[in-house]
Amino acid sequence: MTTATLASVSVTTQANVYFDGKCVSHSLTLADGTKKSVGVILPATLTFSTGAPEIMEGVAGSCEYKLKGSENWVKSGAGEKFSVPGNTSFEIRVSGQPYHYICHFG
Amino acid sequence: MTTATLASVSVTTQANVYFDGKCVSHSLTLADGTKKSVGVILPATLTFSTGAPEIMEGVAGSCEYKLKGSENWVKSGAGEKFSVPGNTSFEIRVSGQPYHYICHFG
């Protein structure tokens, strides 16, 4: 079951463009002040750093991710989530179709 | 004056990815049912087709656009809008920094 829409949000109109556009997201603020983002990663292998802990929720496509200190690439697809601790880094590898996600913070 | 946020919207979590990611947008639905999108165009020259008429509103960066049948490239930047008729096409040229926009339909 994927989350197709997020309702009653405020959208920051300027996108976040990472890695020359290999990752593009738009930041959202929910009515209760919670911040999330919706984004897409194009085929690439990218390393992201976290501040707050993140939960990545796939909404289309799939990726493989590898947490810092792990040797294992783990596949995650639409309707699946994975957690990344705060103040660390992780790699994401996308091939073929783009990976669309919701990033939940905190 | 740029539109930094759009409030009380429903966001489609899956992005629209055009031209291998040179243009990425997220679709929005307002409380009254009005549809818009927020997107970004990376440095490129792209040709878009319209169904409904569109008003493009820049929120960061700038572009040049050329409507079908025109010979003139016109610059449009943050806080500026331009209109495109329905059922036609137009070219957008972005160089340097990405062009971030809100697309208003109808």
Side-chain angles (χ1 to χ4, degrees):
Chain A
M1 179 81 188
T2 59
T3 305
T5 59
L6 291 172
S8 302
V9 304
S10 175
V11 180
T12 301
T13 56
Q14 184 169 347
N16 310 299
V17 178
Y18 305 104
F19 303 108
D20 291 328
K22 290 296 185 187
C23 176
V24 171
S25 72
H26 280 90
S27 299
L28 311 176
T29 305
L30 278 63
D32 67 0
T34 303
K35 292 187 184 300
K36 298 183 189 294
S37 68
V38 286
V40 61
I41 300 175
L42 303 176
T45 300
L46 306 175
T47 302
F48 291 90
S49 296
T50 61
E54 297 180 6
I55 295 171
M56 294 285 286
E57 176 184 353
V59 293
S62 65
C63 73
E64 294 169 291
Y65 67 92
K66 187 158 70 85
L67 300 180
K68 190 175 182 180
S70 171
E71 296 300 316
N72 299 322
W73 287 96
V74 180
K75 186 165 182 174
S76 190
E80 298 181 320
K81 297 180 182 179
F82 63 93
S83 296
V84 185
N87 299 310
T88 184
S89 65
F90 65 110
E91 291 178 81
I92 285 193
R93 185 162 69 186
V94 174
S95 54
Q97 296 302 305
Y99 172 66
H100 299 255
Y101 66 87
I102 303 166
C103 181
H104 308 267
F105 296 106
Chain B
M1 179 82 188
T2 59
T3 305
T5 59
L6 290 171
S8 302
V9 304
S10 174
V11 181
T12 301
T13 56
Q14 183 170 346
N16 310 300
V17 178
Y18 304 104
F19 304 108
D20 292 328
K22 291 295 184 187
C23 176
V24 171
S25 73
H26 280 90
S27 300
L28 311 177
T29 305
L30 279 63
D32 67 1
T34 303
K35 293 187 183 301
K36 298 183 190 293
S37 68
V38 286
V40 61
I41 300 175
L42 303 177
T45 300
L46 306 175
T47 302
F48 291 90
S49 297
T50 61
E54 296 180 4
I55 296 170
M56 294 285 285
E57 177 183 352
V59 295
S62 65
C63 73
E64 294 169 293
Y65 68 92
K66 186 160 72 81
L67 301 180
K68 190 175 182 179
S70 172
E71 297 301 315
N72 299 322
W73 287 96
V74 181
K75 186 165 181 175
S76 190
E80 297 180 323
K81 297 179 183 180
F82 63 94
S83 295
V84 185
N87 300 309
T88 185
S89 65
F90 65 109
E91 291 177 80
I92 285 194
R93 187 163 68 187
V94 174
S95 53
Q97 296 301 307
Y99 172 65
H100 300 253
Y101 66 87
I102 304 167
C103 181
H104 308 268
F105 297 105

